């Protein structure tokens, strides 16, 4: 269900749905700047050093998180509750804000140290975790909220607990570039043009 960003309201009306997120596809094919970033020697060097192995580009993601009130279930579907990723046994993600991000526009939050230290229930019963459970175990001082202007970037080991806070007043656009030890060719954003149709 494709639509241009400035036509979001009309697209929601036409589809009868409230959109939580909107993702772009084929980013490296369609955007030379993203292609350049995924091949950037500095990002590759940082990832290689962190992974203790030659880093391999695994995927890009670029998506909008739309503002508004949503349910707990919808937050879970939109990765706006604490979770951690398992895309490989060692991997690193670079995030770039493409819009200004403050408290009202969906800042990213990560839990310092949680990539190394998880309680057994977090390892064996993988699920979305509540803010209270995360704060109780890791301490509220471990929560790092990341705000920044458009063009601000940061790196993260996604084995740590993290989430995007639901935007309340302004939509957020973010770009993610991921490196890992292995490219399983399952994470990419490639979609056949025939599948990408406008509403």
């Amino acid at each position: 269900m494709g639509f241009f960003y400035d036509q979001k309201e009309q697209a929601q009306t036409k589809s009868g749905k409230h959109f939580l997120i909107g993702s772009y596809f084929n980013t490296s094919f369609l955007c030379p700047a993203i292609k350049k970033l995924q091949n950037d020697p500095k990002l590759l060097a940082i990832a290689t050093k962190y992974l203790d192995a030659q880093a391999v580009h695994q995927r890009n993601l670029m998506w909008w998180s739309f503002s508004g009130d949503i349910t707990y279930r919808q937050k879970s579907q939109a990765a706006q509750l604490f979770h951690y990723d398992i895309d490989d046994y060692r991997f690193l993600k670079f995030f770039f804000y493409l819009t200004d991000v403050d408290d009202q526009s969906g800042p990213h939050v990560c839990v310092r140290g949680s990539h190394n230290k998880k309680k057994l229930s977090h390892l064996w019963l993988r699920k979305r975790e509540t803010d209270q459970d995360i704060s109780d175990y890791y301490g509220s001082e471990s929560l790092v909220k990341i705000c920044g202007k458009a063009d601000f970037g940061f790196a993260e080991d996604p084995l740590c607990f993290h989430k995007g806070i639901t935007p309340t007043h302004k939509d957020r656009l973010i770009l993610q570039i991921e490196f890992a030890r292995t490219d399983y060719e399952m994470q990419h954003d490639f979609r056949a043009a025939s599948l990408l149709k406008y509403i």
Side-chain angles (χ1 to χ4, degrees):
M1 300 196 313
F3 58 92
F4 289 103
Y5 176 72
D6 63 0
Q7 297 172 351
K8 182 184 72 170
E9 298 303 324
Q10 300 96 300
Q12 288 185 140
T13 300
K14 188 171 180 179
S15 70
K17 297 181 179 183
H18 172 72
F19 299 150
L20 308 177
I21 58 173
S23 298
Y24 291 90
F25 299 103
N26 302 324
T27 54
S28 62
F29 294 142
L30 299 175
C31 181
I34 293 176
K35 180 76 169 179
K36 187 175 180 180
L37 263 179
Q38 78 179 43
N39 294 310
D40 182 81
K42 190 173 286 188
L43 296 189
L44 192 59
I46 292 168
T48 294
K49 184 169 184 178
Y50 185 78
L51 299 174
D52 292 323
Q54 182 59 49
V56 177
H57 175 258
Q58 193 173 67
R59 71 168 165 176
N60 304 323
L61 290 176
M62 186 166 72
W63 74 97
W64 286 99
S65 294
F66 299 127
S67 60
D69 293 326
I70 64 175
T71 65
Y72 184 89
R73 179 178 167 79
Q74 289 172 321
K75 286 184 180 185
S76 179
Q77 293 171 332
Q80 293 172 3
L81 298 174
F82 279 114
H83 64 283
Y84 61 93
D85 304 333
I86 307 181
D87 298 351
D88 196 358
Y89 65 96
R90 292 290 301 278
F91 60 118
L92 187 70
K93 294 183 179 181
F94 294 89
F95 295 92
F96 298 93
Y97 288 154
L98 303 181
T99 52
D100 293 346
V101 175
D102 58 19
D103 282 336
Q104 299 180 328
S105 49
H108 187 85
V109 180
C110 59
V111 182
R112 184 183 288 116
S114 62
H115 62 301
N116 286 325
K117 173 188 158 191
K118 289 184 177 68
K119 63 181 178 179
L120 284 179
S121 64
H122 289 162
L123 290 171
W124 296 107
L125 303 172
R126 282 194 71 230
K127 60 183 178 61
R128 305 303 197 197
E129 300 292 344
T130 66
D131 291 7
Q132 190 64 54
D133 183 53
I134 292 295
S135 292
D136 287 349
Y137 186 72
Y138 296 102
S140 57
E141 69 281 357
S142 297
L143 276 61
V144 180
K145 184 189 295 181
I146 303 172
C147 297
K149 295 289 187 182
D151 82 3
F152 175 78
F154 57 95
E156 177 180 277
D157 183 331
L159 288 170
C160 78
F161 276 105
H162 59 277
K163 69 174 182 172
I165 294 177
T166 306
T168 55
H169 292 77
K170 296 183 291 183
D171 298 340
R172 182 195 72 176
L173 179 61
I174 192 168
L175 170 67
Q176 170 193 300
I177 298 178
E178 180 176 345
F179 296 93
R181 289 186 165 204
T182 309
D183 179 9
Y184 298 104
E185 299 186 5
M186 296 167 45
Q187 306 284 352
H188 59 73
D189 69 349
F190 306 144
R191 297 294 184 277
S194 60
L195 298 176
L196 303 177
K197 299 176 182 178
Y198 291 109
I199 289 180

